[in-house]
């Protein structure tokens, strides 16, 4: 390529790319995005393993927030690492609902083509494959299975999917349906070219009657049909119930013959599975379903059009956006009369109304749900209605759902999920029942990680003690305090009694009880009021959750002004912020008895104690805005966007948890971030692209312009919203909802005169009370 700017058509003429000269060489600048789904790499984050996560993702072949996803299964049955980029073989194509490998799966079965012999066990039927013969799109997957000489293609709907298998010439072509172990059923119906079955395999969070019913319909007659159980073929029956049930059907094929399979499932019944298949696939061809799925992704992703970045930045942006639109998944179905119904993982009944599953609020309250409230509020409205149903059916709001209650992580962060939605303007659902659920959760310890563990101590002492055998007590205290702030904000909005408002306002300040002036950090405290001894601020776990005191001491989202005071004022606060990046990545892993992957991910990133690969510190960089040095936020945001995210299989710097880490990227690329959910403010950073258009649900268009943006021009000189100068370090949600133009003037040198006044700082509870 010569050193003259030129245009090149990429991806069959759909994507126009301008090649321009940059000081570090030639960079490719994307000037136009017409089909955002074509920029997604679903393999981003898949090169992961238990002791080092580069995302811990899998390529979900899906539509946004669909009920069922499909994944090529490289791992063994029951392995949470169900697809890993470094694997050599595929064992099947699996329906999945897995939110993360650590949570594992439910509602799972697989389909696999084989040739030559009646091979149905997962290792016998496995086939070598290459990424060079693999096409991965959100809406379409194709791979050549070398051992079978079969090309498999998949395309999805919300609750169904189509397969297209291209066979060689053989009289021994087969398809295996594996209902998995731990209790399953299979029935082959040759006269209807159909297999039905159910799987009960799960990882918890379900009642005893849990089943995922499936229907598989073929467009070719069976010449062979056999069931199998627990590794052995079964003669003389096409229907069986077993620990591990499956089916294998066979036929002759011509070279290049395509066999089509339609499949759907239901948590309710076989009849509902058939209804889902009929309703969503009808008489559509494979290509028609593929086009519909592609159109859905383009429509939803097209709500954000990012232009003027590099090719890698654009690919990373849309790959992250893809992740933000995966979880939680729809748990509801549409019955034959057109009514919304769901199987309840809380009480085992089939009931009317919405339900979603597959998310941990400890992760997603920070940015994922605020992102929905900004860009997809109607989706979150359904989720809020689903939360009402989960409370009515289970007695508590979930803190981790997969699909029902799961006892993982800490905090009572459902309070933030509910409060942020209402404060940001969502309406049309029973907010009073949700508020009742928040009060109930705030005063009780519930089952399976719901409510508040240690609530009696917290309410009496103002903290959860270190020495009462409640793990991660300091983290719980800090999160409960923020959760109390969330309830306080909602109580004000609902005009609740003043005594109730005052109670939660007071409890929101409980973080003060753990601040240790000796170390300038948060520290576990014993029941008698003495701080834990000995204390290492580098000790992961123990009093904290998947982090150390340097990570969790900033978890005062709602009152950074008070935290600043506790740390000795503005200058001392800034030094503490700077220290996170200056210190070496030392750690104490004695609590775990070994180095957990989150520690290793911090260590290898070479950013000191900044552990972006886990959630507790992800808001941290934005805190310079509260101390009059916004240019440091701008610097570290750009550093993190470009260094910690790549559109590659090793593209994340830690777990991509249910869209949270991706939502951080999407928000930060837009130029702002929700440091404190439950308020109407976003804290300013610096945009990544020259132009980013946001089509809001209310029909307005928000245009984020930074025409001088470049690798060097990463600092904000000035900012205007619809022609009005913005001097403060935050933006108002409702101002953005009006649409218009957010104009950033970018430069290579920081503007140390903008955003430096105390009045420019974003919201803090103590300032608001004054």
């Amino acid at each position: 390529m010569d050193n003259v700017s030129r245009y090149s058509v990429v991806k069959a003429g759909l994507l126009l790319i301008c090649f321009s000269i940059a000081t570090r060489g030639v960079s490719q600048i994307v000037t136009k995005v017409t089909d955002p789904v074509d920029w997604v790499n679903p393999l981003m984050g898949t090169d992961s393993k238990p002791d080092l996560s580069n995302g811990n993702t899998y390529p979900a072949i899906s539509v946004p927030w669909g009920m069922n996803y499909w994944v090529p299964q490289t791992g063994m049955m029951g392995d949470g690492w169900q697809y890993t980029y470094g694997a050599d073989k595929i064992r099947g194509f699996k329906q999945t609902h897995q939110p993360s490998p650590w949570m594992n799966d439910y509602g799972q079965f697989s389909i696999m083509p084989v040739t030559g012999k009646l091979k149905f066990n997962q290792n016998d039927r496995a086939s070598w494959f290459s990424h060079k013969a693999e096409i991965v799109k959100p809406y379409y997957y194709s791979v050549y299975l070398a051992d079978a000489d079969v090309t498999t293609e998949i395309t999805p709907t919300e609750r169904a999917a189509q397969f297209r298998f291209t066979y060689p010439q053989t009289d021994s072509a087969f398809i295996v349906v594996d209902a998995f172990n731990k209790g399953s059923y299979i029935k082959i119906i040759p006269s209807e070219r159909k297999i039905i079955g159910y799987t009960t395999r799960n990882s918890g969070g379900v009642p005893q009657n849990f089943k995922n019913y499936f229907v598989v319909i073929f467009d070719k007659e069976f010449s062979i049909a056999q069931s199998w159980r627990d590794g052995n073929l079964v003669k003389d029956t096409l229907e069986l119930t077993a620990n591990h049930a499956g089916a294998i059907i066979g036929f002759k094929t011509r070279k290049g013959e395509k066999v089509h399979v339609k499949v759907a499932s239901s948590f309710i019944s076989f009849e509902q599975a058939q209804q889902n298949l009929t309703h969503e696939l009808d008489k559509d061809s494979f290509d028609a379903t593929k086009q519909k799925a592609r159109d859905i992704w383009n429509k939803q992703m097209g709500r954000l059009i990012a232009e003027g970045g590099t090719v890698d930045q654009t690919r990373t942006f849309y790959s992250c956006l893809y992740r933000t639109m995966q979880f939680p998944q729809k748990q509801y179905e549409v019955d034959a009369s057109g009514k919304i119904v769901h199987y309840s993982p809380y009480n085992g009944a089939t009931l009317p109304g919405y339900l979603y599953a597959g998310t941990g609020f400890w992760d997603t309250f920070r940015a994922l749900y605020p992102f929905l409230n900004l860009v997809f509020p109607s989706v979150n409205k359904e989720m809020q209605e689903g939360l009402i149903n989960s409370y009515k059916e289970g007695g508590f709001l979930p803190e981790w759902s997969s699909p029902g209650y799961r006892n993982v992580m800490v905090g009572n962060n459902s309070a933030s999920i509910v409060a942020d939605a209402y404060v940001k303007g969502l309406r049309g659902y029973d907010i009073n029942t949700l508020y009742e659920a928040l009060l109930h959760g705030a005063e009780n310890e519930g089952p399976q990680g719901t409510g508040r563990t240690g609530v009696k101590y917290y309410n009496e002492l103002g903290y959860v003690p270190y020495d009462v055998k409640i793990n991660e007590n300091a983290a719980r205290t800090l999160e409960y305090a923020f959760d109390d702030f969330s309830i306080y904000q909602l109580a004000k909005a609902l005009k609740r009694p003043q005594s109730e408002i005052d109670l939660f306002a007071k409890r929101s300040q409980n973080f003060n009880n753990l601040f240790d002036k000796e170390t300038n950090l948060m520290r576990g405290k014993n029941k008698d009021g003495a701080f834990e001894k000995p204390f290492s601020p580098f000790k992961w776990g123990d009093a904290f959750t998947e982090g150390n005191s340097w990570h969790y001491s900033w978890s005062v989202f709602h009152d950074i002004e008070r935290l600043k005071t506790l740390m000795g004022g503005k200058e001392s606060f800034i030094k503490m912020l700077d220290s996170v990046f200056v210190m070496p990545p030392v750690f104490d892993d004695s609590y775990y008895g070994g180095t957990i992957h989150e520690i290793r991910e911090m260590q290898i990133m070479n950013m000191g104690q900044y552990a972006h690969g886990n959630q507790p510190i992800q808001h941290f960089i934005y805190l310079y805005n509260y101390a009059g040095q916004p240019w440091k936020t701008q610097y570290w945001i750009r550093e993190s966007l470009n260094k910690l995210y790549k559109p590659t299989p090793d593209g994340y710097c830690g777990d991509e948890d249910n869209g949270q880490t991706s939502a951080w990227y999407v928000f930060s690329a837009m130029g702002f971030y929700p440091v404190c959910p439950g308020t109407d403010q976003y804290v300013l950073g610096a945009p990544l692209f020259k132009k980013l258009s946001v089509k809001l649900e209310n029909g307005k268009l928000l245009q984020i312009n930074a025409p001088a943006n470049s690798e060097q021009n990463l600092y904000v000189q000035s900012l205007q919203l619809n022609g009005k100068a913005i001097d403060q370090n935050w933006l108002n949600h409702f101002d953005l909802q009006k649409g218009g133009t957010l104009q950033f003037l970018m430069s290579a040198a920081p503007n140390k005169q903008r955003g430096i006044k105390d009045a420019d700082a974003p919201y803090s509870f103590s300032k608001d009370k004054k």
Side-chain angles (χ1 to χ4, degrees):
M1 185 192 338
D2 60 24
N3 287 333
V4 179
S5 295
R6 59 180 180 161
Y7 292 96
S8 176
V9 177
V10 178
K11 291 188 182 288
L14 295 176
L15 308 170
L16 190 61
I17 297 178
C18 172
F19 293 81
S20 63
I21 306 301
T23 57
R24 295 185 184 178
V26 179
S27 62
Q28 303 172 344
I29 303 301
V30 178
T31 60
K32 188 176 183 182
V33 170
T34 56
D35 293 278
V37 72
D38 286 333
W39 289 95
V40 175
N41 180 11
L43 297 179
M44 180 175 170
T46 59
D47 188 7
S48 298
K49 52 188 177 181
D51 57 354
L52 185 68
S53 173
N54 288 309
N56 266 334
T57 64
Y58 57 87
I61 314 307
S62 63
V63 294
W65 305 289
M67 189 177 89
N68 301 331
Y69 297 165
W70 288 87
V71 60
Q73 180 190 343
T74 63
M76 298 286 282
M77 178 177 59
D79 185 353
W81 282 262
Q82 55 189 359
Y83 178 99
T84 51
Y85 189 79
D88 300 312
K89 291 183 178 182
I90 289 175
R91 290 179 166 83
F93 300 94
K94 177 186 172 189
Q95 181 183 279
T96 181
H97 300 88
Q98 180 172 292
S100 90
W102 306 106
M103 303 302 295
N104 218 298
D105 211 349
Y106 64 95
Q108 53 196 303
F109 62 96
S110 73
I111 297 172
M112 182 68 174
V114 295
T115 56
K117 295 181 180 179
L118 287 168
K119 297 176 288 188
F120 55 90
N121 291 323
Q122 60 178 336
N123 289 330
D124 294 339
R125 72 190 186 223
S127 173
W128 283 78
F129 80 107
S130 167
H131 298 298
K132 299 176 183 68
E134 183 185 43
I135 300 171
V136 193
K137 302 286 186 182
Y139 59 89
Y140 171 75
Y141 180 83
S142 173
V143 70
Y144 175 67
L145 300 174
D147 291 290
D149 191 19
V150 172
T151 296
T152 295
E153 299 171 272
I154 312 170
T155 191
T157 68
E158 286 189 343
R159 299 167 190 85
Q162 293 214 48
F163 284 75
R164 184 164 62 193
F165 300 111
T166 303
Y167 281 90
Q169 180 170 336
T170 178
D171 59 1
S172 302
F174 306 100
I175 293 176
V176 179
V177 176
D178 187 343
F180 286 14
N181 64 358
K182 298 192 175 180
S184 50
Y185 164 85
I186 208 81
K187 182 179 180 180
I188 308 171
I189 311 172
S191 62
E192 299 180 36
R193 302 194 305 272
K194 179 189 289 189
I195 297 173
I196 66 172
Y198 65 70
T199 174
T200 66
R201 186 182 176 92
N202 65 83
S203 306
V206 299
Q208 286 189 338
N209 70 343
F210 170 80
K211 292 182 178 69
N212 187 238
Y213 302 88
F214 57 83
V215 176
V216 188
I217 298 178
F218 304 78
D219 71 344
K220 190 173 178 66
E221 300 286 344
F222 308 160
S223 57
I224 294 174
Q226 282 197 255
S227 62
W228 52 272
R229 63 157 27 123
D230 303 327
N232 298 302
L233 288 171
V234 178
K235 296 181 179 179
D236 304 324
T237 182
L238 298 180
E239 179 179 12
L240 60 84
T241 303
N243 171 59
H244 187 178
I248 184 166
I249 56 96
F251 32 71
K252 295 180 180 179
T253 55
R254 305 179 307 277
K255 180 176 175 58
E257 182 175 351
K258 300 182 188 304
V259 177
H260 295 82
V261 180
K262 293 183 176 182
V263 57
S265 75
S266 168
F267 293 107
I268 296 171
S269 66
F270 286 121
E271 293 76 17
Q272 183 61 47
Q274 182 65 55
Q275 166 65 21
N276 292 340
L277 189 149
T278 302
H279 177 68
E280 297 188 8
L281 295 179
D282 193 26
K283 297 179 181 178
D284 283 354
S285 67
F286 181 95
D287 289 330
T289 297
K290 177 182 174 183
Q291 186 63 48
K292 285 181 179 179
R294 185 175 190 274
D295 290 346
I296 290 169
W297 277 110
N298 268 331
K299 178 182 177 182
Q300 298 286 34
M301 301 187 93
R303 300 280 297 281
L304 287 87
I305 298 297
E307 297 169 329
T310 67
V311 169
D312 273 3
Q313 288 168 344
T314 308
R315 292 177 67 211
T316 303
F317 180 83
Y318 284 109
S319 298
C320 286
L321 185 58
Y322 157 76
R323 280 290 299 185
T324 68
M325 298 163 69
Q326 284 183 29
F327 297 99
Q329 293 173 277
K330 291 175 179 175
Q331 190 79 4
Y332 67 82
E333 305 175 49
V334 183
D335 71 12
S337 64
K339 294 179 181 177
I340 302 294
V341 293
H342 67 269
Y343 166 81
S344 173
Y346 302 102
N347 63 17
T350 297
L351 297 164
Y354 295 102
L355 195 70
Y356 282 75
T359 189
F361 292 158
W362 182 85
D363 303 290
T364 53
F365 85 83
R366 304 165 194 270
L368 188 278
Y369 277 89
F371 177 71
L372 295 177
N373 292 330
L374 177 66
V375 183
F376 298 104
S378 63
V379 175
N380 197 16
K381 179 178 175 291
E382 283 190 5
M383 294 176 184
Q384 298 293 317
E385 292 187 56
L387 287 176
I388 294 168
N389 289 328
S390 66
Y391 171 61
K392 289 179 176 178
E393 294 158 20
F396 283 84
L397 291 177
E399 300 299 332
W400 233 113
S401 66
S402 184
Y405 300 133
R406 298 289 296 277
N407 189 12
V408 204
M409 310 311 291
V410 304
N412 181 211
N413 304 123
S414 54
S416 176
I417 303 298
V418 171
D420 191 57
Y422 195 79
V423 167
K424 297 273 176 62
L426 271 66
R427 296 294 185 271
Y429 54 96
D430 185 0
I431 188 61
N432 291 309
T433 294
L434 280 177
Y435 183 79
E436 172 192 305
L438 298 191
L439 292 182
H440 182 63
E443 301 295 343
N444 295 280
E445 288 193 30
Q448 293 296 303
T450 57
R452 297 187 180 185
T453 300
V455 66
K456 186 174 183 292
Y457 292 113
Y458 177 81
N459 287 349
E460 289 179 2
L461 300 175
Y463 60 95
V464 181
Y466 178 79
D467 59 345
V468 294
K469 298 183 178 179
I470 296 176
N471 66 323
E472 301 167 21
N473 38 80
R476 295 180 194 274
T477 299
L478 294 170
E479 295 197 25
Y480 293 164
F482 173 67
D483 300 332
D484 285 330
F485 168 78
S486 300
I487 298 173
Y488 157 77
Q489 286 287 85
L490 186 55
K492 285 197 302 179
L494 296 177
K495 296 181 169 54
R496 299 288 298 186
Q498 191 61 44
S499 59
E500 197 169 279
I501 294 171
D502 292 343
L503 172 65
F504 288 101
K506 180 182 178 182
R507 288 181 179 173
S508 78
Q509 293 296 293
N510 281 341
F511 64 87
N512 286 273
N513 297 325
L514 294 190
F515 188 80
D516 171 29
K517 293 186 181 299
E518 180 184 338
T519 61
N520 241 9
L521 294 167
M522 297 294 175
R523 182 173 176 179
K525 181 179 280 189
N526 293 330
K527 188 178 177 182
D528 64 4
F531 282 113
E532 61 164 300
K533 291 182 181 179
F535 171 67
S536 167
F538 302 108
K539 186 176 185 179
W540 281 62
D542 199 15
F544 300 99
T545 302
E546 293 182 1
N548 61 35
S549 183
W550 276 107
H551 305 143
Y552 248 100
S553 291
W554 315 100
S555 293
V556 188
F557 314 95
H558 57 295
D559 206 350
I560 300 300
E561 182 69 20
R562 176 60 183 162
L563 182 62
K564 196 165 63 176
T565 300
L566 289 171
M567 288 185 171
K570 182 187 295 186
E571 296 307 316
S572 177
F573 181 75
I574 289 170
K575 287 179 181 178
M576 292 292 287
L577 291 172
D578 290 343
S579 295
V580 169
F581 296 111
V582 171
M583 288 183 292
V586 298
F587 58 85
D588 174 354
D589 62 6
S590 59
Y591 175 76
Y592 299 109
T595 306
I596 63 173
H597 74 93
E598 289 90 351
I599 295 176
R600 191 68 71 206
E601 288 143 17
M602 176 196 76
Q603 182 192 31
I604 64 177
M605 284 302 108
N606 192 28
M607 291 181 74
Q609 288 291 316
Y610 184 60
H612 187 86
N614 212 19
Q615 282 65 41
I617 204 170
Q618 286 183 350
H619 68 296
F620 163 83
I621 291 176
Y622 286 89
L623 300 188
Y624 286 104
N625 284 285
Y626 295 76
Q629 293 194 357
W631 58 89
K632 288 185 178 177
T633 289
Q634 295 155 24
Y635 172 82
W636 286 112
I637 289 297
R638 185 65 64 90
E639 186 77 1
S640 299
L641 287 169
N642 286 339
K643 180 177 182 179
L644 303 181
Y645 294 78
K646 303 290 181 185
T648 54
D650 63 346
Y652 291 101
C653 58
D655 279 355
E656 202 307 288
D657 284 314
N658 310 124
Q660 163 58 32
T661 299
S662 290
W664 186 95
Y665 185 96
V666 173
F667 261 124
S668 296
M670 293 167 71
F672 49 86
Y673 185 80
V675 168
C676 184
T679 69
D680 59 4
Q681 289 186 6
Y682 303 100
V683 180
L684 279 168
L688 183 62
F689 296 94
K690 293 179 183 292
K691 180 180 178 182
L692 203 158
S693 305
V694 185
K695 299 174 185 176
L696 301 167
E697 271 193 3
N698 60 14
K700 305 289 186 180
L701 178 67
L702 175 64
Q703 196 82 42
I704 303 169
N705 292 335
N709 220 340
S710 69
E711 186 176 355
Q712 294 75 32
N713 293 348
L714 56 93
Y715 294 105
V716 177
Q717 283 295 306
S718 62
L719 172 63
Q720 292 183 340
L721 178 59
N722 296 328
K724 180 182 177 181
I726 301 292
D727 295 319
Q728 73 269 12
N729 297 327
W730 53 272
L731 297 167
N732 179 273
H733 171 81
F734 294 101
D735 287 343
L736 298 183
Q737 285 289 313
K738 295 173 185 175
T741 302
L742 197 58
Q743 192 79 16
F744 287 87
L745 177 61
M746 308 296 291
S747 72
N751 179 355
K752 296 187 177 182
Q753 301 305 312
R754 189 200 163 279
I756 63 174
K757 300 190 296 292
D758 289 345
D760 295 333
Y763 173 91
S764 279
F765 173 88
S766 55
K767 285 175 63 177
D768 188 50
K769 293 297 284 184
K770 290 178 182 177

